[in-house]
Amino acid sequence: MAVREQPQGDVVVPAHAAVEARGLTRVYGEGTTAVEALRGVDIDVQSGELVAVMGPSGSGKSTLMHILAGLDKPTAGTVMIAGNEITRLDDSQLTKLRRQHIGFVFQFFNLLPMLDTEENVTLPLSISGEKVDKAWLDELLTKMGLENRRDHRPAQLSGGQQQRVAIARSLVTKPTILFADEPTGNLDSKTGGEILDLVRSSTDTYGQTTVMVTHEARAAAIADRILFLEDGLIVKELRGASQGEVLTVMSSLH
Amino acid sequence: MLRVALKGLAGRKLRAVLTALAIILGVAMISGTYVLTDGINSAFTSIFTQTYQNADAVISAKTAFTNDQGNQVQAPGFSQSLLGKVQTLPDVNAAAGSVTDDQTQLVGRDNKVISGGGGGSLALSVNPTGDQRFNPLKLTSGTWPSGPHEIAISSNVASSKGYKVGDTIGVARNGPVQQFKIAGLVELPGVSIGGATLSVFDLPTLQKLLGRQGELDIIRVQSKAGVPTSKLISEIKPILPHGTQVRNVAAQVKEDKKSASSFTSFIRYVLLAFAGIALFVGSFVIANTLSITIAQRTREFATLRTLGATRRQVLTSVIVEALVIGLFASVAGLFLGLGIAKLLNSIFSLVGFDLPTAGTVFETRTVIVCLVVGTVITLIASLRPALRATRVPPIAAVREGAELPRGRFARWAPWASGVTLLLGVLLLGYGVLGHHLPTSTRLLSLGVGILLLFFGVAANAQRLVKPLASVLGWPATRIGGTAGVLARDNTMRNPKRTASTASALMIGLALVTFVAILGQGIRSSFESAVDQLFIADYALTSSNTFTPLTIQAEKAIARAPGVTVVSGIRAGSAKVFGSVENLTGADPNLTKVIHLDWKEGSNAVPAELGQTGAFVDDKYAKSNDLHVGSPLDIETPTAKVLHLKVDGVFKLPKGGSPFGPVTISNALFDKNYVDPQNEMAFVNIEGGVTPANTAALNKATAGFPDAKVQTHSEFKSNFEKPLNAIISLLYVLLALSIIVSLFGIVNTLVLTVFERTREIGMLRAVGMTRRQTRRMIRHESVVTSLIGAALGIIVGFFLAILVTHALSDEGIVFAVPYASIVFFVIAAIIVGLLAAIWPARRAAKLNVLEALQYE
């Protein structure tokens, strides 16, 4: 297990809870047409944990992740990331927080089409102006199987390769927490499986705390903990479940 | 982030180039204007400097004042005896005298005048024997003309009309055409004199031709070695007769250049104004194109934000892109300008202004202005889209079709656009109607007012898109079938975008409409003035209508059989009440050929003018408080003052009259003016206008190839020719802005086709053919152009009404050239069709399967 550097700066990192959320509520619209996407959710994600958030469509799982990741503000409730109350931060404070503490993997990869692999991976560093640790970069690229694709543009990569680039990008700053939004949603099952292996091994090798939203049972099965959402509330939690157990819970929810 | 911006540009080269095109043309126009006018100025400097080569001082005749048109004021010559006196001065090494003229016309084999094309018909004298140190011309073949029958001509005439040494050629000046033998061909080395014609004679021959025997116009003096020019000049001064002056060469060149450089300054400012319009339109196109591309890159910006980019970093990245595009466009435009300079020169020659040029002058100032202006305009145009890019929220990275949050000030946008429009209208009104204000204030108010008007209309146009599109798009639904209906709906889908694209075209069309209506107004009022005044059978003018015609032609036409009245109107300049005005001369028979309404006095006035009378127009009388009996002093170019009395005041028609503010009798005029000429003469003949009479009059003036006999209607159309030429020129210059807006439409279409890839794929999948796809894009393009045309024509009408009202007492009526307006609408349709060609092909070529899968 590689030693994780403690980030410097004005952010305090407590030892264990990477993410702590209390009473998360999210209401869209007003009056009679209001939609309650989340209706009071509490979450704790421990440092080094891989948590999956599952649920049918409309359960609020995407909304939950957006709020945890600071992309959206809850109607009520608080979120603490690495000891920072993010719901109160303004835009530039949030931006700073993102650089150090939040990593992202998107369903549609979201790579910049005109940059090659190496540039895409180091993009967060060039944005924050930090120097690239060559050894760390090489290690990441090797781990993702991209050493021979350093100067390829996304258009020259397959879907799976693009998602690997995205994962490498999300890990390069060694963020406090990595959010993965349906990382296998745009991939075939074989490639998807490879990606899931990489997500699992990042947590194992680097202790990368990860929250993954998915609707695939196979994906949820790699997690340490699985939270099931239905109608805006957490209705069940599983630990170390197999794919079959996940499927059973899922069918009981419909 | 810089790298991201630059790489982004490199990856989207096509889009960057399309955006840049909007600015390239405007910058090229600036560059071309400077290159052209610098070249003309340089040519004039060369010409004037070379004219005085080897001379240290120049003696010339004085005029009391100069008229801006230069050739209206003929300086009297001085006695040749001065030359001998100068040559005997102690410090003079050599001196030579010459005469010059600017109305000596060459006549071709067809007995027609060889036009000097705006450059003039110049004549110089040379000394065929003796050294040629003062002679700026070089022989390209033959010898210097010697004797009363020889001439040398400029090589441009020789090559364009096929003359060589030994041929004969006609010369017309003040009398019937005389034939001369071509002894040699000349040129001014290093300078192209454009279309000007040059005739060279020996001194006695030219003096005789001009009727100025024993006179000189210029003496060139060279000092002995080592003598400072100031000393030379102080020696010359005491022996100068009254009415002459001496200058050192630098001062003389400066004086000569005055009218030439004011002319090129005028051209330069006019051309730069049109370049400015093209850049203004270009800025609209850039703002529009960038808005669209930024909307399409929402996910990219959102991703950058999730990766920790600040809003400022996003702003900087977009601005850097704009800067690079602007710089690239400016450099490209700078070099394209070299071609534009040549094009402008050709256009000017076509309109009759073949000006001298001396190579390509590419000054540092041109480079700097082009780079700065192009880049700054691109930057300014990119600000609003760039700010919009910063408003992309990070969540847009995950959410499809996230709405961009409105800016802080978005609430006030409708108010702001309304206020802008109102302010523009007010400022325009202020500038146009504020007669008591200084000109600079009025121009500023007008300029800012027009800008705000265009901005205001563009900002509010989105509200008009839906109604306009449903009306203007109706033909598309009829003739285009389903494709047409889809096209019309597409234009209504995003009114803001359609309005923004159409607005670029609106500007160009508003201006051409404005020019067309004003032009028609000028034409109409001129025509009604002619209808009112011209009661003669025929008019006699020079072939290009505006230059004066020798009075010998008047005398010749009087001898034609059946002529009952010939009345000429002399033209010159005089200083009255401290300013230089046009002075005209009238003949006692005037009222038989010209109908005047008298405010004071009667038709008896012209016959009674004698040696002390003058009549004035009522406008001039009003501003100078003149009535019958008022004293009137005028100063002629020879500095002689004539003490006159006002005998009559006539009512000046709106469209003008042939008379200057002050008119004296021809008899008095001829006594006081060197080489008097007619601006026009009128003829009454027994039987009125008949083919026989026309032939008789032409026969009578056959010896004057420059003379033109015209009927009433021919007179009108000939006078309108230059006006029409100028209007056509304005159209061509405005066409540049219209081409820029055409690129704007292309940009929008290409980008929206790209944006609608999946949708087009779907349409093709359900059965729309490639042809229908192209048709859809074409109709969309045409409807957008028509919207731009509709807005533009309305704004143009508005501007024309405003200006016509303001200038109504200057003699412009409001008249609409309906044919031109229809032509503009057709032109807009053509613009739409042209703009659609490439985007339509791209849309039709989309691979259906790939398009459907497109993210």
Side-chain angles (χ1 to χ4, degrees), chain B residues 624-742:
Chain B
N624 292 291
D625 194 26
L626 297 170
H627 299 277
V628 169
S630 309
L632 187 61
D633 290 344
I634 66 173
E635 185 188 342
T636 70
T638 54
K640 181 163 170 214
V641 176
L642 303 174
H643 302 285
L644 307 169
K645 199 167 43 64
V646 174
D647 282 347
V649 178
F650 76 92
K651 294 191 192 150
L652 185 65
K654 260 200 183 188
S657 80
F659 301 106
V662 179
T663 308
I664 59 179
S665 68
N666 280 350
L668 183 60
F669 191 99
D670 293 347
K671 255 179 79 176
N672 286 286
Y673 277 82
V674 174
D675 192 24
Q677 315 228 293
N678 282 333
E679 66 176 31
M680 56 189 82
F682 294 96
V683 179
N684 280 346
I685 188 169
E686 275 168 24
V689 177
T690 67
N693 279 342
T694 311
L697 290 175
N698 276 321
K699 189 150 169 248
T701 54
F704 299 91
D706 194 31
K708 193 159 66 176
V709 175
Q710 303 149 65
T711 61
H712 182 117
S713 50
E714 282 168 354
F715 181 80
K716 274 195 273 195
S717 57
N718 282 326
F719 247 94
E720 285 172 13
K721 273 208 192 103
L723 175 68
N724 294 339
I726 290 178
I727 292 185
S728 303
L729 184 64
L730 290 179
Y731 285 163
V732 168
L733 291 173
L734 285 172
L736 188 67
S737 306
I738 295 183
I739 293 177
V740 174
S741 61
L742 190 155

Side-chain angles (χ1 to χ4, degrees), chain B residues 219-274:
Chain B
I219 294 180
R220 294 172 172 79
V221 187
Q222 188 185 55
S223 64
K224 291 213 165 87
V227 175
T229 311
S230 47
K231 184 153 182 268
L232 178 69
I233 290 184
S234 56
E235 272 177 36
I236 295 176
K237 273 204 175 127
I239 65 165
L240 287 181
H242 178 70
T244 56
Q245 66 205 331
V246 61
R247 293 190 185 103
N248 62 36
V249 169
Q252 183 67 30
V253 169
K254 200 164 155 212
E255 193 57 39
D256 288 344
K257 264 174 67 173
K258 265 193 192 150
S259 69
S261 52
S262 73
F263 176 64
T264 47
S265 288
F266 174 70
I267 298 182
R268 177 179 290 171
Y269 290 131
V270 169
L271 290 177
L272 285 180
F274 283 99

Side-chain angles (χ1 to χ4, degrees), chain B residues 322-604:
Chain B
L323 220 126
V324 170
I325 292 179
L327 216 56
F328 161 72
S330 302
V331 171
L334 183 66
F335 288 106
L336 187 63
L338 294 174
I340 297 251
K342 294 208 164 53
L343 186 66
L344 284 172
N345 204 16
S346 316
I347 293 178
F348 278 129
S349 328
L350 279 176
V351 187
F353 273 112
D354 197 355
L355 296 164
T357 50
T360 304
V361 182
F362 209 48
E363 286 199 22
T364 321
R365 168 261 278 128
T366 307
V367 175
I368 294 180
V369 169
C370 286
L371 290 181
V372 169
V373 169
T375 313
V376 166
I377 299 235
T378 312
L379 271 179
I380 294 179
S382 71
L383 275 180
R384 200 149 167 253
L387 284 172
R388 204 173 298 145
T390 64
R391 291 203 291 269
V392 171
I395 199 168
V398 290
R399 221 176 254 167
E400 267 277 13
E403 265 280 318
L404 282 184
R406 306 175 61 168
R408 262 178 297 172
F409 305 113
R411 229 178 341 126
W412 290 304
W415 293 110
S417 46
V419 165
T420 309
L421 186 57
L422 195 61
L423 202 61
V425 171
L426 286 175
L427 278 174
L428 267 178
Y430 188 60
V432 163
L433 302 169
H435 296 288
H436 53 282
L437 297 164
T439 321
S440 48
T441 316
R442 289 180 76 180
L443 282 177
L444 189 65
S445 182
L446 278 173
V448 176
I450 290 195
L451 280 183
L452 289 180
L453 176 70
F454 282 132
F455 278 127
V457 173
N460 283 302
Q462 51 182 308
R463 274 169 219 123
L464 295 172
V465 166
K466 286 219 175 80
L468 279 175
S470 46
V471 169
L472 296 169
W474 182 79
T477 60
R478 291 272 111 204
I479 56 178
T482 317
V485 176
L486 283 173
R488 195 209 24 202
D489 292 344
N490 283 336
T491 44
M492 301 203 279
R493 189 198 284 199
N494 192 334
K496 228 167 160 213
R497 186 185 293 178
T498 309
S500 192
T501 312
S503 295
L505 186 60
M506 178 243 320
I507 298 171
L509 279 174
L511 292 172
V512 290
T513 305
F514 173 65
V515 167
I517 297 179
L518 269 194
Q520 186 67 7
I522 295 175
R523 246 184 244 121
S524 290
S525 74
F526 168 72
E527 284 181 11
S528 62
V530 171
D531 286 338
Q532 194 185 326
L533 260 51
F534 189 133
I535 55 177
D537 294 326
Y538 291 90
L540 179 69
T541 64
S542 67
S543 46
N544 70 3
T545 318
F546 285 113
T547 52
L549 182 64
T550 168
I551 56 180
Q552 303 300 327
E554 181 191 332
K555 294 189 181 139
I557 208 173
R559 292 194 283 271
V563 169
T564 55
V565 179
V566 176
S567 185
I569 299 180
R570 304 283 193 265
S573 309
K575 214 173 189 179
V576 198
F577 295 123
S579 30
V580 178
E581 306 281 1
N582 287 331
L583 177 76
T584 39
D587 155 282
N589 285 318
L590 181 70
T591 52
K592 296 203 182 112
V593 292
I594 297 272
H595 170 89
L596 289 174
D597 286 321
W598 296 93
K599 187 150 180 262
E600 293 178 39
S602 70
N603 275 346

Side-chain angles (χ1 to χ4, degrees), chain B residues 10 63 196 246 261 320 380 407 606 609 658 696 760:
Chain B
T63 54
V246 61
S261 52
V320 163
I380 294 179
L609 288 175
I760 295 177

Side-chain angles (χ1 to χ4, degrees), chain A residues 28 66 71-72 91 95 98-99 104 106 108 110 112-116 119 123-124 126-127 153 169 181, chain B residues 1 3-4 7-8 11-12 299-300 303-311 313 394-395 397-399 855:
Chain A
Y28 293 106
H66 296 163
L71 297 179
D72 194 9
D91 185 77
T95 304
R98 285 192 192 109
R99 290 179 183 181
F104 242 107
F106 300 91
F108 294 104
N110 285 36
L112 263 56
M114 61 287 194
L115 302 180
D116 63 32
E119 288 166 335
L123 186 55
S126 33
I127 286 175
R153 297 239 174 85
R169 176 178 75 185
D181 186 6
Chain B
M1 274 299 277
R3 201 176 356 133
V4 169
K7 284 233 159 177
R12 283 182 295 258
R299 200 185 307 166
E300 184 186 310
T303 304
L304 286 170
R305 299 275 278 120
T306 61
L307 297 178
T310 59
R311 293 170 89 176
Q313 280 177 307
I395 199 168
V398 290
R399 221 176 254 167
E855 293 299 346

